[in-house]
Amino acid sequence: QSQFIKTIVKKEKQELKDPTINFFKKVFLEVLQKGHGTLACVISKKKKELPKKLQDGIELEQRINIPKIIEELLDKNDLQANSKLEGQYSLISGMMQSDGITVFTDSGEVASYNTFVKHPEKLIKTKTTGGARSRTFLTLCDMIGNGIESAYIQSQDGKIEFNNGK
């Protein structure tokens, strides 16, 4: 989990990395405790458009930029900035608990959620442990280096896998 979170903040300014990592650790912990499993991946922030294979979902018109919200909180240190961050925490937790994939950028943003990918024919015909979520994770792993930086799965029983192609 922490390895995956590090890929979410990989391109963020150093001074915002730790507070952003802490924010996402809390989100992922809540999803682990309350959720029925989740899928997520990280794309490069440089890409203004989602990779073609990740366009079947709810793309956010304006990405949720957690480091920017944290920076605002650190600058202002007021109730309004804190409430904004808490609201995003609830929103992102909900996104991750919905069906499909939550897509993050490597700069701490949420780009889309409830995203689905088409499983390749070869994967559909093979026996994989687990169900559709496991097949989707394998599909995401095959896309690493081709639009995706890393992939993450957390199953209902708490099993967690992370792949960044290395």
Side-chain angles (χ1 to χ4, degrees):
Q1 203 177 57
S2 60
Q3 289 299 107
F4 180 72
I5 292 169
K6 285 179 184 173
T7 66
I8 294 175
V9 300
K10 187 168 112 180
K11 297 283 172 73
E12 192 44 58
K13 294 184 283 192
Q14 192 58 45
E15 64 269 15
L16 293 174
K17 275 189 181 180
D18 284 343
T20 305
I21 286 171
N22 288 337
F23 172 86
F24 281 117
K25 279 183 177 178
K26 290 175 188 169
V27 169
F28 278 72
L29 180 61
E30 172 148 331
V31 171
L32 180 63
Q33 291 172 340
K34 291 184 177 175
H36 56 80
T38 194
L39 284 159
C41 67
V42 174
I43 61 171
S44 173
K45 180 184 179 175
K46 291 178 191 170
K47 303 213 184 294
K48 294 299 173 202
E49 284 189 19
L50 291 173
K52 203 166 203 62
K53 291 181 178 179
L54 293 176
Q55 291 182 354
D56 182 13
I58 300 171
E59 185 172 357
L60 302 177
E61 213 170 282
Q62 186 173 347
R63 293 177 176 178
I64 300 171
N65 188 328
I66 294 302
K68 184 178 175 186
I69 296 167
I70 289 173
E71 187 173 43
E72 185 180 316
L73 175 60
L74 294 173
D75 287 346
K76 294 181 180 178
N77 197 21
D78 67 1
L79 188 59
Q80 186 176 356
N82 189 59
S83 294
K84 186 175 180 181
L85 187 62
E86 284 184 16
Q88 297 305 326
Y89 171 88
S90 297
L91 184 62
I92 295 167
S93 296
M95 289 174 172
M96 292 186 72
Q97 291 176 61
S98 69
D99 289 339
I101 306 157
T102 305
V103 180
F104 296 91
T105 71
D106 57 7
S107 292
E109 301 170 322
V110 180
S112 74
Y113 71 102
N114 197 232
T115 301
F116 294 87
V117 293
K118 188 171 173 31
H119 300 151
E121 203 62 40
K122 65 177 184 179
L123 193 60
I124 294 169
K125 293 179 179 177
T126 61
K127 295 279 184 205
T128 58
T129 56
R133 191 176 289 126
S134 295
R135 286 190 296 279
T136 300
F137 176 71
L138 293 173
T139 301
L140 289 173
C141 290
D142 283 346
M143 295 167 63
I144 292 174
N146 189 17
I148 291 181
E149 308 284 316
S150 63
Y152 175 87
I153 184 173
Q154 183 176 291
S155 64
Q156 192 168 0
D157 62 7
K159 180 181 156 202
I160 294 171
E161 281 187 70
F162 158 76
N163 189 327
N164 65 353
K166 294 177 183 160

